[in-house]
Amino acid sequence: MTTSAPTSTANPTVLLVHGAFADATSWSGVIAELQGHGIPVIAPPNPLRGLATDAAYVASVAAQIDGPVVLVGHSYGGALITVAGATENVVGLVYVAAYVLEEGESLGELQGRFPASPLVSNLKQWTYPVAGGDPAVEVTIAEGAFPSVFAADVPAEVTKVLAAAQRPLAAAAFEETATAAAWKTKPSWALVAGADNAINPEVERFAAKRAGATVVEAEGASHAVAVSRPKEVADLIREAVRATS
């Protein structure tokens, strides 16, 4: 695939970036909705190893797509699209229950402006090997707390699977700072999950407003809003696609 400059007639490809404690299958319902409307979509794996390297990976995927791209980020994925969105062929950003960072800001700094969510006290630490160095720390959500923290509005049998299949986030990602804020030059949209227990909804509202995003509220929605309300999420993405086509 080759990169080409966005044109006013091309239909953007939607690139979905999942967040921590999840994988690309969390977008399954959203993907089905978008494909049902003829929108090209791709949902690559997020490495979850650190802001700089993960954003570089997302930017690389976007740059290899022929034509314009709308980046969609859930949770930590929002921080990644904020940086990766500087890629030339990215024409819009959609934040889903996500962090929207300012240039030079970290996840920890943004979160620190507001009361901590229940996520903070329910993280479980693990270690993983790093070539030539000491083991690094990564975190998951304690399995017993996962339903209430991450997916309170998702059926119990589905939540049990999500909890077991969590992908951990490198702890260092909380302290890395964003090297760019693409929302300053690209249009953005944001969905606030009103009953989010992983990211304080006030964090989502504040950051989306700061970015000048078009904001929609999903009242009563958990952090896993893409799983529980895929049509609502897809509708916002479709709005972004229409606006950037």
Side-chain angles (χ1 to χ4, degrees):
M1 293 182 291
T2 57
T3 305
S4 66
T7 68
S8 59
T9 56
N11 198 27
T13 296
V14 172
L15 197 164
L16 302 168
V17 183
H18 68 81
F21 323 124
D23 62 23
T25 62
S26 61
W27 292 114
S28 295
V30 175
I31 292 170
E33 288 281 344
L34 295 175
Q35 289 178 337
H37 286 88
I39 297 172
V41 58
I42 180 173
N46 179 350
L48 301 175
R49 297 295 82 176
L51 183 54
T53 56
D54 294 345
Y57 176 76
V58 172
S60 173
V61 175
Q64 293 176 75
I65 294 172
D66 187 21
V69 172
V70 170
L71 288 180
V72 182
H74 173 245
S75 190
Y76 166 67
L80 303 187
I81 70 169
T82 296
V83 177
T87 306
E88 184 180 0
N89 63 324
V90 172
V91 295
L93 309 166
V94 182
Y95 296 94
V96 179
Y99 293 108
V100 188
L101 297 181
E102 171 64 278
E103 187 174 350
E105 185 177 54
S106 69
L107 297 178
E109 287 170 341
L110 176 55
Q111 287 188 142
R113 296 170 179 259
F114 298 89
S117 72
L119 171 73
V120 177
S121 58
N122 285 290
L123 291 175
K124 181 177 179 180
Q125 290 195 353
W126 308 73
T127 60
Y128 64 97
V130 178
D134 295 329
V137 176
E138 61 185 13
V139 292
T140 58
I141 301 173
E143 199 161 332
F146 188 93
S148 63
V149 169
F150 197 89
D153 58 351
V154 175
E157 62 273 18
V158 177
T159 307
K160 287 175 69 175
V161 174
L162 295 177
Q166 288 182 70
R167 290 190 53 214
L169 174 67
F174 290 102
E175 304 306 323
E176 284 189 61
T177 58
T179 56
W183 47 261
K184 292 184 176 180
T185 57
K186 313 276 174 89
S188 61
W189 292 259
L191 183 146
V192 174
D196 199 328
N197 285 324
I199 302 176
N200 184 333
E202 289 302 324
V203 172
E204 299 171 19
R205 291 188 189 99
F206 164 80
K209 181 179 178 181
R210 180 177 63 179
T214 299
V215 181
V216 298
E217 291 266 347
E219 293 185 14
S222 76
H223 193 59
V225 62
V227 178
S228 63
R229 304 189 189 184
K231 186 180 185 303
E232 287 183 43
V233 173
D235 284 348
L236 183 62
I237 296 169
R238 289 172 57 212
E239 181 180 326
V241 168
R242 285 193 299 267
T244 54
S245 291

